[in-house]
Amino acid sequence: LITLLAPTAMDSKSAVLLLPSQLMKKTLREIDDFYGVHFNIPLTKLHIHSYEQLSTVATATILEDAAPDLILLDEAHHLRRPQSVRRRRFDAYLEANPGCRIIALSGTMTNRTILDYAHFRELALGRHSPVPKGYNELVDWCGAIDVDPPEPKAPGALRKFCEPGESV
Protein backbone atom coordinates (compact mmCIF):
# COMPACT_ATOMS: atom_id res chain seq x y z
CA LEU A 1 0.00 0.00 0.00
CA ILE A 2 2.88 2.37 0.78
CA THR A 3 4.34 1.87 -2.69
CA LEU A 4 0.96 2.42 -4.33
CA LEU A 5 0.18 5.65 -2.47
CA ALA A 6 3.70 7.12 -2.39
CA PRO A 7 3.37 8.81 -5.82
CA THR A 8 0.47 10.87 -4.45
CA ALA A 9 2.17 11.57 -1.12
CA MET A 10 5.39 12.60 -2.89
CA ASP A 11 3.57 14.69 -5.53
CA SER A 12 5.10 12.62 -8.32
CA LYS A 13 4.27 13.32 -11.95
CA SER A 14 5.43 9.86 -13.05
CA ALA A 15 6.52 7.00 -10.79
CA VAL A 16 7.87 3.51 -11.39
CA LEU A 17 7.35 0.67 -8.96
CA LEU A 18 9.96 -2.06 -9.44
CA LEU A 19 9.31 -5.42 -7.85
CA PRO A 20 10.24 -9.08 -8.34
CA SER A 21 8.38 -10.73 -11.22
CA GLN A 22 6.79 -13.26 -8.85
CA LEU A 23 5.01 -10.36 -7.09
CA MET A 24 3.59 -8.75 -10.26
CA LYS A 25 0.37 -10.80 -10.51
CA LYS A 26 -0.21 -10.64 -6.75
CA THR A 27 0.26 -6.85 -6.69
CA LEU A 28 -2.02 -6.24 -9.68
CA ARG A 29 -4.66 -8.57 -8.22
CA GLU A 30 -4.50 -6.74 -4.87
CA ILE A 31 -4.97 -3.42 -6.66
CA ASP A 32 -8.02 -4.74 -8.53
CA ASP A 33 -9.57 -6.65 -5.62
CA PHE A 34 -8.85 -4.43 -2.63
CA TYR A 35 -6.58 -1.40 -2.75
CA GLY A 36 -8.16 0.09 -5.87
CA VAL A 37 -11.60 -0.27 -4.27
CA HIS A 38 -10.69 1.45 -1.00
CA PHE A 39 -7.93 3.88 -2.03
CA ASN A 40 -7.32 6.30 -4.88
CA ILE A 41 -4.33 4.56 -6.49
CA PRO A 42 -2.75 6.87 -9.11
CA LEU A 43 -2.50 4.20 -11.85
CA THR A 44 -2.30 6.85 -14.59
CA LYS A 45 1.08 7.95 -13.27
CA LEU A 46 2.30 4.74 -11.59
CA HIS A 47 4.10 2.28 -13.89
CA ILE A 48 4.57 -1.18 -12.40
CA HIS A 49 7.48 -3.23 -13.71
CA SER A 50 9.66 -6.12 -12.59
CA TYR A 51 13.38 -6.08 -11.96
CA GLU A 52 13.62 -8.81 -14.57
CA GLN A 53 12.20 -6.41 -17.18
CA LEU A 54 15.03 -4.01 -16.37
CA SER A 55 17.47 -6.87 -17.03
CA THR A 56 16.06 -7.87 -20.42
CA VAL A 57 17.17 -6.26 -23.67
CA ALA A 58 13.61 -6.10 -25.06
CA THR A 59 12.37 -4.05 -22.08
CA ALA A 60 15.62 -2.33 -21.07
CA THR A 61 14.21 1.18 -21.57
CA ILE A 62 11.30 0.95 -19.10
CA LEU A 63 12.76 3.74 -16.97
CA GLU A 64 13.48 6.05 -19.89
CA ASP A 65 10.01 5.35 -21.35
CA ALA A 66 8.20 6.20 -18.09
CA ALA A 67 10.58 9.09 -17.24
CA PRO A 68 9.87 8.78 -13.51
CA ASP A 69 10.65 11.47 -10.99
CA LEU A 70 10.12 8.81 -8.29
CA ILE A 71 11.25 5.18 -8.29
CA LEU A 72 9.86 2.81 -5.68
CA LEU A 73 11.94 -0.30 -5.05
CA ASP A 74 9.96 -3.12 -3.46
CA GLU A 75 12.41 -5.81 -2.34
CA ALA A 76 15.21 -3.36 -3.14
CA HIS A 77 17.88 -5.97 -2.44
CA HIS A 78 17.28 -7.12 -6.04
CA LEU A 79 19.49 -4.14 -7.00
CA ARG A 80 22.28 -4.76 -4.51
CA ARG A 81 24.86 -6.14 -6.98
CA PRO A 82 26.59 -3.20 -8.73
CA GLN A 83 27.88 -5.38 -11.56
CA SER A 84 24.43 -6.67 -12.57
CA VAL A 85 22.81 -5.42 -15.79
CA ARG A 86 19.70 -4.21 -13.97
CA ARG A 87 21.75 -2.22 -11.45
CA ARG A 88 23.86 -0.62 -14.19
CA ARG A 89 20.70 0.42 -16.09
CA PHE A 90 19.16 1.73 -12.86
CA ASP A 91 22.31 3.71 -12.01
CA ALA A 92 22.55 5.07 -15.56
CA TYR A 93 18.98 6.38 -15.36
CA LEU A 94 19.67 8.09 -12.02
CA GLU A 95 22.89 9.60 -13.30
CA ALA A 96 21.03 11.05 -16.30
CA ASN A 97 18.14 12.20 -14.05
CA PRO A 98 19.65 13.46 -10.77
CA GLY A 99 16.33 14.89 -9.57
CA CYS A 100 14.68 11.47 -9.48
CA ARG A 101 13.79 10.41 -5.94
CA ILE A 102 14.09 6.89 -4.55
CA ILE A 103 12.16 4.91 -1.96
CA ALA A 104 13.88 1.60 -1.21
CA LEU A 105 11.99 -1.06 0.74
CA SER A 106 13.19 -4.50 1.77
CA GLY A 107 13.02 -6.84 4.72
CA THR A 108 16.43 -8.20 3.75
CA MET A 109 18.40 -5.17 2.62
CA THR A 110 21.71 -6.80 3.51
CA ASN A 111 23.10 -10.29 3.88
CA ARG A 112 26.60 -9.80 5.23
CA THR A 113 27.85 -6.27 4.59
CA ILE A 114 26.60 -2.70 4.78
CA LEU A 115 28.00 -2.30 1.26
CA ASP A 116 24.82 -4.15 0.12
CA TYR A 117 22.69 -1.11 0.88
CA ALA A 118 25.07 1.86 1.13
CA HIS A 119 24.12 3.08 -2.34
CA PHE A 120 20.39 3.08 -1.43
CA ARG A 121 20.89 5.27 1.62
CA GLU A 122 22.98 7.67 -0.45
CA LEU A 123 20.37 7.81 -3.23
CA ALA A 124 17.44 8.19 -0.86
CA LEU A 125 18.90 10.39 1.88
CA GLY A 126 21.91 12.10 0.33
CA ARG A 127 23.79 14.24 2.81
CA HIS A 128 21.21 13.41 5.52
CA SER A 129 22.22 9.75 5.65
CA PRO A 130 23.17 8.50 9.13
CA VAL A 131 25.78 6.02 7.85
CA PRO A 132 29.33 6.76 6.61
CA LYS A 133 29.69 9.39 3.93
CA GLY A 134 32.92 8.51 2.12
CA TYR A 135 34.04 5.20 0.70
CA ASN A 136 37.07 4.89 3.01
CA GLU A 137 34.93 5.51 6.09
CA LEU A 138 32.37 3.02 4.78
CA VAL A 139 35.07 0.37 4.36
CA ASP A 140 36.24 1.04 7.94
CA TRP A 141 32.69 0.51 9.19
CA CYS A 142 32.49 -2.72 7.20
CA GLY A 143 35.65 -3.94 8.91
CA ALA A 144 34.08 -3.21 12.30
CA ILE A 145 30.48 -4.46 11.90
CA ASP A 146 30.18 -6.73 8.83
CA VAL A 147 29.83 -10.49 9.19
CA ASP A 148 33.31 -11.99 8.64
CA PRO A 149 34.93 -8.90 7.07
CA PRO A 150 38.07 -9.51 4.97
CA GLU A 151 39.97 -6.91 7.03
CA PRO A 152 38.49 -6.85 10.55
CA LYS A 153 38.79 -3.66 12.57
CA ALA A 154 38.21 -3.00 16.23
CA PRO A 155 34.70 -1.56 16.75
CA GLY A 156 36.06 1.45 18.64
CA ALA A 157 33.40 4.10 19.28
CA LEU A 158 30.59 1.73 18.22
CA ARG A 159 30.87 0.19 21.71
CA LYS A 160 29.10 3.30 23.03
CA PHE A 161 25.87 1.99 21.45
CA CYS A 162 26.00 -1.33 23.34
CA GLU A 163 24.30 -2.16 26.61
CA PRO A 164 26.51 -3.51 29.43
CA GLY A 165 27.58 -7.06 28.56
CA GLU A 166 26.53 -6.68 24.89
CA SER A 167 29.04 -6.86 22.04
CA VAL A 168 29.10 -4.82 18.87
Side-chain angles (χ1 to χ4, degrees):
L1 183 57
I2 290 170
T3 59
L4 299 175
L5 296 177
T8 300
M10 303 284 294
D11 196 28
S12 172
K13 303 213 181 336
S14 177
V16 167
L17 167 58
L18 288 173
L19 43 78
S21 60
Q22 66 267 25
L23 292 180
M24 286 284 288
K25 284 183 184 176
K26 175 185 175 285
T27 301
L28 295 173
R29 188 177 60 248
E30 287 175 347
I31 291 170
D32 288 342
D33 296 347
F34 183 74
Y35 295 131
V37 174
H38 299 286
F39 299 94
N40 184 16
I41 308 298
L43 293 176
T44 57
K45 60 182 176 180
L46 177 61
H47 310 272
I48 302 173
H49 295 288
S50 71
Y51 291 107
E52 291 75 9
Q53 287 176 297
L54 196 55
S55 301
T56 307
V57 172
T59 53
T61 61
I62 56 174
L63 294 178
E64 289 80 3
D65 295 344
D69 58 0
L70 175 65
I71 300 176
L72 305 139
L73 306 170
D74 190 1
E75 302 296 340
H77 57 274
H78 286 267
L79 284 175
R80 97 172 105 214
R81 288 186 32 242
Q83 65 276 20
S84 71
V85 170
R86 70 180 67 159
R87 171 71 183 280
R88 289 194 319 258
R89 288 180 178 151
F90 174 77
D91 288 347
Y93 180 80
L94 293 179
E95 188 172 318
N97 299 277
C100 184
R101 297 162 295 165
I102 303 298
I103 297 176
L105 305 162
S106 179
T108 52
M109 195 67 80
T110 183
N111 278 336
R112 306 182 63 80
T113 174
I114 60 174
L115 290 173
D116 287 344
Y117 68 88
H119 62 288
F120 292 129
R121 62 98 189 138
E122 185 177 329
L123 292 172
L125 301 174
R127 64 183 178 83
H128 302 292
S129 175
V131 293
K133 306 288 189 248
Y135 182 77
N136 290 337
E137 186 179 351
L138 180 62
V139 170
D140 286 346
W141 275 51
C142 291
I145 64 174
D146 280 359
V147 175
D148 298 323
E151 296 181 33
K153 295 208 180 283
L158 293 175
R159 288 189 183 104
K160 293 178 184 177
F161 297 106
C162 296
E163 296 293 326
E166 186 180 41
S167 75
V168 173

